[in-house]
Amino acid sequence: MKQISFITLLFFVVSCTNEKNKTGNISSNFSFASSTVNIHTFKNEFGIEGYYTGYFEASQYDEKKDVMYTNKITISIDSLSETVCYGHSIVAGNMRPFKGTYAKSDDNIFKVNAKEPGDDKYDGAFTFEINANAKKIKGNWKSNDQNLAVTEREYELELRTFVYNPDLELPEYLTYEGLYGTYKETDTSSIAESLTDDIFKYNASKVLLKTKDVENMYQADLEVLRNSIYARHGYSFKNRKMRFLFDHAVEWYMPVSINITKSLTPIEKQNIELLKRYEQHAVKYYDSFGR
Amino acid sequence: MKTTTHKITLLNTLLLFTYFGFVILMMGIVLQYIPAGTDTAFLGIKQDYINIQWYLPAFYIHVFTAILALPAGFTQFSKYIQKYFKPFHRINGRIYVFSILVLGAPSGFIIGLYANGGLSSQLAFCILAVLWWWFTLQAYTNARKKNFVAHKIWMYRSFALTLSAITLRAWKWTLIEIFHPRPMDVYMIVAWLGWGLNLVIAEIIIYKKIKK
């Protein structure tokens, strides 16, 4: 009976969303409504449920293509039944559910073989071991599509709890980071766009910013200030420049969500609006003749 | 017949073409405010002021009428037109004077009160508006009194300030390309540089052409 309703549901969803939902995250054949899931609440029944965060590193890739070598990933072990492990991953602005079988060994290691739904271009299969004692995950991921820039990735992740904390500050060495995509390796004469100390002046999650606070700031600083709000909420960045920065240079940052609009505080919402306004103005008019 | 005074030199032609290019750019700036909104272009960073009663009307009057002063640059300095097409010179001159005295300068003064960059730029833009109005008025009254030498002198000054619409933006662009300054720093600089230097050049021209 369950099977039948499941198939009908699948058919229904597929026939409805065939056209538009190519990159969406609704996967009917998984007991997982990822588009509405924000921060997951875990029931700790098997001792391994939770968020595991770390680097998702390319091990098989086509150099000629646009390769993003390392992204920060969170693998969430959502729940387990006696034979099946349910979870989802959040990486590069993409939240995908997975489901697979597992086997538990005597030394408290869970070996998981899981698959993503397969209806997304970047879906694939996860093979990993969860070490319940060390609270770590180690494994690999293989893409379904062999024509992708990266077809295989490896990772070692650590169990980490996500808590929204407005007090988190950007690390001091952030200003030394060149912003991704702002310089080309072939063009040695150009200097990477860099950040200034302005990004430490205000915590945009705590202080309500005023016009005079932001009007003299460079676009890059404004952008980082705004995105630091998203980062505190565990937003997984699609935007490469921001992803590269927060993934690599902000230790506390962990991607857990792809939609955080509902969790923003009133101060953050107002700051985002103000910062965005000045960013857009800077992009359009900073180095132009007129406005 | 001597034609030296009507001679079109290469330099003049070049200047006219450059000016034409800038006037086109200025028209592009004006056109982006159609349809008029409360959030368009420059207004995007003036959200603290758009609810002040006089701000938006003054802003739009300035955007749409101050540009009427620019075409004068093509015709009014031509000795040929001054000599052979007097009515044209007068009509065009009246458009110029009216657009500044009634519309462009007063509206410029009001928006100058709320200029970005604090007291320094507010002073710069308000002084600019007052001088622009005063110079233009002097030029007009002297023309009416047929004091054409004085008319000419005051018109050099008036037009120098009219040109600041272009030079302010050109300076901003140049300084940013070279020094990559902060947005409000450069704005405070060009608020003064945009018209101050023009006025100095105008005085030099006046000195060399007329007073010597």
Side-chain angles (χ1 to χ4, degrees), chain B residues 93-115:
Chain B
R94 284 199 168 97
I95 294 172
Y96 178 85
V97 168
F98 181 83
S99 78
I100 293 169
L101 292 186
V102 180
L103 303 164
S107 61
F109 184 84
I110 293 172
I111 54 176
L113 292 172
Y114 308 103

Side-chain angles (χ1 to χ4, degrees), chain A residues 1-7:
Chain A
M1 186 60 203
K2 231 179 181 178
Q3 280 285 318
I4 293 165
S5 64
F6 163 76
I7 287 164

Side-chain angles (χ1 to χ4, degrees), chain B residues 118-169:
Chain B
L119 191 63
S120 166
S121 6
Q122 284 156 10
L123 262 177
F125 286 114
C126 287
I127 292 173
L128 167 62
V130 170
L131 291 180
W132 198 30
W133 192 86
W134 177 249
F135 292 171
T136 310
L137 182 71
Q138 292 306 310
Y140 176 68
T141 49
N142 275 300
R144 292 304 301 253
K145 288 184 222 156
K146 302 199 185 301
N147 295 335
F148 292 117
V149 176
H151 168 67
K152 210 169 175 179
I153 289 173
W154 287 109
M155 267 309 174
Y156 273 123
R157 289 171 182 151
S158 167
F159 193 71
L161 299 190
T162 300
L163 272 182
S164 73
I166 290 168
T167 47
L168 176 142
R169 291 172 172 86

Side-chain angles (χ1 to χ4, degrees), chain B residues 3-163:
Chain B
T3 55
T4 42
T5 48
H6 306 149
K7 193 172 66 182
I8 298 170
T9 64
L10 184 68
L11 182 72
N12 274 343
T13 319
L14 210 68
L15 274 174
L16 272 177
F17 270 103
T18 313
Y19 186 63
F20 181 75
F22 278 116
V23 171
I24 295 291
L25 283 176
M26 292 304 296
M27 282 168 69
I29 292 171
V30 171
L31 286 177
Q32 69 181 336
Y33 289 98
I34 300 172
T38 58
D39 208 8
T40 324
F42 181 62
L43 293 176
I45 60 164
K46 299 301 288 185
Q47 294 298 299
D48 292 357
Y49 303 112
I50 57 163
N51 291 322
I52 294 168
Q53 197 184 2
W54 286 101
Y55 191 80
L56 270 187
F59 180 80
Y60 275 107
I61 287 173
H62 193 73
V63 167
F64 292 125
T65 66
I67 191 151
L68 294 174
L70 286 179
F74 291 117
T75 57
Q76 300 304 84
F77 293 95
S78 157
K79 288 199 174 71
Y80 187 80
I81 290 173
Q82 283 168 23
K83 197 171 177 183
Y84 298 105
F85 296 92
K86 267 185 189 155
F88 180 83
H89 181 84
R90 282 195 194 127
I91 291 167
N92 211 5
R94 284 199 168 97
I95 294 172
Y96 178 85
V97 168
F98 181 83
S99 78
I100 293 169
L101 292 186
V102 180
L103 303 164
S107 61
F109 184 84
I110 293 172
I111 54 176
L113 292 172
Y114 308 103
N116 289 330
L119 191 63
S120 166
S121 6
Q122 284 156 10
L123 262 177
F125 286 114
C126 287
I127 292 173
L128 167 62
V130 170
L131 291 180
W132 198 30
W133 192 86
W134 177 249
F135 292 171
T136 310
L137 182 71
Q138 292 306 310
Y140 176 68
T141 49
N142 275 300
R144 292 304 301 253
K145 288 184 222 156
K146 302 199 185 301
N147 295 335
F148 292 117
V149 176
H151 168 67
K152 210 169 175 179
I153 289 173
W154 287 109
M155 267 309 174
Y156 273 123
R157 289 171 182 151
S158 167
F159 193 71
L161 299 190
T162 300
L163 272 182

